[in-house]
Amino acid sequence: MRVRMLVPVGALALASACSSTQAPASAGSAAIPASGPLPLKYTGPATSAAISAQDLMTRLYVYADDSLQGREAGTIGHMKATAYIADQVRRLGLVPAGDNGTYFQNVPFISRRFDPTTTLTVDGATLAAFTDFVASPFRGALPRSIEGVQAVYGGELGDTAHQLTAEQATGKLVVLSAGEGRRFPRFGANSPLSGAAAIAIIAGPQLTPQELASGRTASLTLRPEAGAPAVPVTLSITESAAARLLGASPNGMAVGTTGRTVQGSLRYVTTDAPTRNVVAILPGSDPRLKGEYVAIGAHSDHIGIRAAGPVDHDSLHLYNQQRYFATENPTGARLTPEQVEQQRARLAAIRVNLDSVRALRAPRPDSINNGADDDGSGTVTVLEVAEAFAKGAVKPKRSILFVWHTGEEKGLLGSRYFTDNPTVPRDSIVAQINIDMVGRGAATDLRAGSERYLQIVGSRRLSTELGDLAEAVNRTEAMPFAFDYTYDANGHPENIYCRSDHYEYARWGIPVVFLTTGLHGDYHQVTDEPQYIDYPHMARVGKLVFDLADRVADLDHRPVVDKPKPDPRGACRQ
Ligand SMILES: [Zn+2]
């Protein structure tokens, strides 16, 4: 699942509790332990035709292993991850449906890194990168030029009562004091600052380690097309650099005060960083219908290595779990006094729980985001579904199209690329089932959680029939899920309908079903690991996906689209 906003700027600062002591990983064993915590490392037996918790565990401990380095699109770790998927579908005998008879559809990513030798000149004084200022990474666009641009003081970040007008900000280098909103500055298209040449946020006397780390982080993104929009770069600058730019200290300065003119430009080093979707087909058995496809997808990528360095895994996991419960409020309803008291108790429990973990083992510093749930769970579940179809005695009438998308975490870029450049006719895809984060959902993960918990999103947004089919198929399962439609509501603030790959299909009028066991405390943390996954729960999601795809593939007609189709080039609306 991608983060809520497309371009978050600045790094989330988490207290880092490092230790040089590393506990040895537990040795692998052949079967799932009957009780107690799951192992940190594990090597399972070979997989079989049935969609099983055992097979999923075997696969996920491979797919979410440290050796894949967090599977960031455009890195070698993600190339290894996609090589694993392709190797698996080759063994299953699926038909390659990527480029040139391979399982891979190459997606032209670049790596763009801020050039550390960049300097700017203001009034004859030199400002040096990584000393006086640093640029935050950004994606999907070209950086706006700041050569010859005048600085202007824009007040305090997030203080909308005292801010520049669009007219004052446009074409300027806007300098902002950090204020309260410093951790998550975002400037959307509606912001008066959206026309700025660049935005510089005053970090303090010096740049922080987080800001320096953020500046060293490469952006991995689609190569901008000719004529791509140019966006304002966000800079972190020191107080002295701000005084240079504004010609005086910003303390007490009136909003809108103009300053000096900048000479020089922000330089970036850009290299090719190819990445790839994995695409495979199980051919349908009906000669009349095999030219149509039921698509099943997950995303193969994750968010890579933690830029700000290692954190203590066990304390972070406990903290994340309690924090999630303490802040979770899916409907936005006002909390009762009892709920508030429960939240206090949960936060108080963090220390007690940590002490009991400390008694078991020393701190484990961890910096790799393994993405076991996001979306290792979806990736290996789709592999299990593919294995069940490939080894099954009876094949569905329509073909099944399996796509493991890259670059989901970069803003759904792999699924956008695939649906813009489909390797089968786009109109031949009759439905898409997407799964992203299907390995949690227990009562320990979220308040509504249970062994029957599953969120469903988008299933009736284009086709009432498809939504009804998802319900009907679920009722036939051995243990039906209690579907949670909360996150499907129009305008829901979590914006889940727009946050995973299914939307890229829906924008072309292809009916979708999105299934997830939901967000949790380990989302986008180094603690999203295979040891916390609920494998039997995930296996039941896999069985539902298989049965739903099978049902749709055997229909004597395409699922009827009875709702308006979105504009494929428009913005997604939850
Ligand atoms: Zn994600």
Side-chain angles (χ1 to χ4, degrees):
M1 188 97 65
R2 73 172 168 104
V3 292
R4 190 156 44 194
M5 304 291 276
L6 188 60
V7 190
V9 183
L12 167 61
L14 273 170
S16 161
C18 309
S19 162
S20 57
T21 332
Q22 183 135 24
S26 348
S29 61
I32 301 178
S35 65
L38 294 176
L40 308 184
K41 296 271 182 188
Y42 171 76
T43 304
T47 60
S48 63
I51 298 169
S52 71
Q54 176 65 73
D55 283 5
L56 289 165
M57 190 168 169
T58 295
R59 293 187 186 283
L60 193 57
Y61 272 83
V62 174
Y63 199 71
D65 188 75
D66 284 351
S67 59
L68 300 185
Q69 300 283 292
R71 308 188 305 271
E72 185 175 12
T75 68
I76 194 78
H78 184 256
M79 294 301 260
K80 287 184 189 175
T82 46
Y84 165 79
I85 299 168
D87 179 60
Q88 294 293 305
V89 294
R90 183 179 298 111
R91 288 161 193 251
L92 294 175
L94 299 190
V95 176
D99 301 333
N100 308 317
T102 72
Y103 291 107
F104 300 117
Q105 181 187 41
N106 290 302
V107 179
F109 263 40
I110 55 162
S111 167
R112 182 167 52 197
R113 197 181 288 273
F114 183 52
D115 184 343
T117 66
T118 298
T119 57
L120 301 173
T121 309
V122 181
D123 269 356
T126 299
L127 300 180
F130 290 93
T131 304
D132 302 302
F133 69 96
V134 70
S136 298
F138 66 99
R139 296 195 286 263
L142 297 164
R144 235 170 239 167
S145 169
I146 59 167
E147 170 73 53
V149 160
Q150 187 180 31
V152 61
Y153 183 59
E156 206 164 273
L157 177 63
D159 177 4
T160 51
H162 307 90
Q163 65 179 356
L164 297 175
T165 62
E167 200 180 340
Q168 287 173 305
T170 296
K172 297 287 201 309
L173 172 60
V174 176
V175 178
L176 295 170
S177 300
E180 286 298 300
R182 166 152 168 225
R183 280 171 140 200
F184 302 103
R186 292 187 173 100
F187 306 98
N190 297 326
S191 165
L193 305 188
S194 61
I199 295 163
I201 298 162
I202 304 169
Q206 291 180 323
L207 301 171
T208 66
Q210 283 82 10
E211 284 153 351
L212 294 170
S214 172
R216 280 189 292 268
T217 303
S219 295
L220 293 156
T221 184
L222 270 177
R223 181 193 308 286
E225 291 168 19
V231 297
V233 176
T234 304
L235 307 168
S236 293
I237 61 172
T238 61
E239 286 167 356
S240 61
R244 285 273 179 208
L245 286 164
L246 295 168
S249 164
N251 291 330
M253 186 175 274
V255 172
T257 304
T258 52
R260 307 293 194 236
T261 297
V262 179
Q263 306 299 331
S265 52
L266 301 170
R267 288 200 306 270
Y268 290 85
V269 180
T270 298
T271 51
D272 285 335
T275 187
R276 55 199 186 183
N277 293 319
V278 183
V279 193
I281 289 171
L282 177 99
S285 59
D286 184 326
R288 290 175 309 111
L289 293 176
K290 67 184 297 187
E292 293 183 351
Y293 300 87
V294 177
I296 303 176
H299 71 89
S300 57
D301 67 309
H302 191 54
I303 58 172
I305 294 175
R306 190 171 184 274
V311 282
D312 170 19
H313 179 114
D314 292 316
S315 70
L316 183 63
H317 173 65
L318 292 167
Y319 169 80
N320 285 339
Q321 195 177 28
Q322 300 298 336
R323 175 190 52 100
Y324 190 75
F325 274 99
T327 57
E328 190 197 5
N329 189 7
T331 62
R334 202 189 172 113
L335 299 182
T336 65
E338 291 76 34
Q339 286 172 322
V340 172
E341 194 44 51
Q342 278 173 4
Q343 292 187 353
R344 285 214 185 91
R346 286 186 185 284
L347 291 168
I350 294 175
R351 171 48 57 188
V352 176
N353 290 343
L354 182 56
D355 287 346
S356 62
V357 167
R358 280 283 169 277
L360 293 175
R361 58 171 172 249
R364 291 189 286 140
D366 193 352
S367 59
I368 301 176
N369 293 293
N370 289 312
D373 190 32
D374 184 9
D375 186 20
S377 64
T379 293
V380 300
T381 299
V382 175
L383 276 173
E384 276 292 281
V385 170
E387 184 175 38
F389 273 120
K391 293 180 176 172
V394 181
K395 297 292 186 282
K397 292 178 180 172
R398 287 186 180 77
S399 298
I400 309 289
L401 175 69
F402 299 95
V403 187
W404 288 267
H405 304 103
T406 185
E408 193 270 355
E409 302 286 4
K410 309 294 185 195
L412 317 184
L413 297 182
S415 54
R416 188 163 194 92
Y417 190 83
F418 180 77
T419 52
D420 280 344
N421 307 278
T423 58
V424 301
R426 192 187 294 121
D427 291 345
S428 69
I429 303 173
V430 305
Q432 201 255 355
I433 304 168
N434 183 38
I435 52 175
D436 188 355
M437 300 175 63
V438 292
R440 302 284 291 255
T444 46
D445 293 317
L446 73 174
R447 261 184 260 145
S450 76
E451 59 184 354
R452 292 175 183 266
Y453 187 76
L454 191 61
Q455 293 173 16
I456 182 164
V457 174
S459 62
R460 291 190 176 89
R461 284 177 177 254
L462 282 162
S463 168
T464 308
E465 182 183 19
L466 184 61
D468 290 348
L469 272 173
E471 292 270 355
V473 170
N474 181 48
R475 279 194 293 273
T476 67
E477 298 295 301
M479 186 196 284
F481 288 101
F483 283 161
D484 181 355
Y485 284 93
T486 306
Y487 295 89
D488 196 26
N490 287 333
H492 192 284
E494 281 290 351
N495 203 33
I496 298 290
Y497 180 60
C498 303
R499 282 174 61 184
S500 190
D501 295 313
H502 53 271
Y503 181 71
E504 299 298 335
Y505 292 79
R507 74 189 166 108
W508 289 106
I510 298 167
V512 300
V513 175
F514 176 52
L515 300 171
T516 176
T517 48
L519 297 168
H520 49 80
D522 294 317
Y523 168 72
H524 281 204
Q525 303 286 323
V526 298
T527 50
D528 181 3
E529 296 223 324
Q531 69 194 99
Y532 306 122
I533 296 293
D534 181 347
Y535 294 92
H537 197 147
M538 186 157 75
R540 285 185 285 110
V541 177
K543 182 69 168 40
L544 175 63
V545 169
F546 176 92
D547 290 340
L548 178 58
D550 196 38
R551 182 76 165 269
V552 175
D554 280 356
L555 288 177
D556 61 7
H557 61 285
R558 303 166 68 116
V560 175
V561 175
D562 58 343
K563 304 282 182 61
K565 297 180 181 183
D567 170 6
R569 300 288 172 204
C572 179
R573 280 182 60 181
Q574 167 82 25

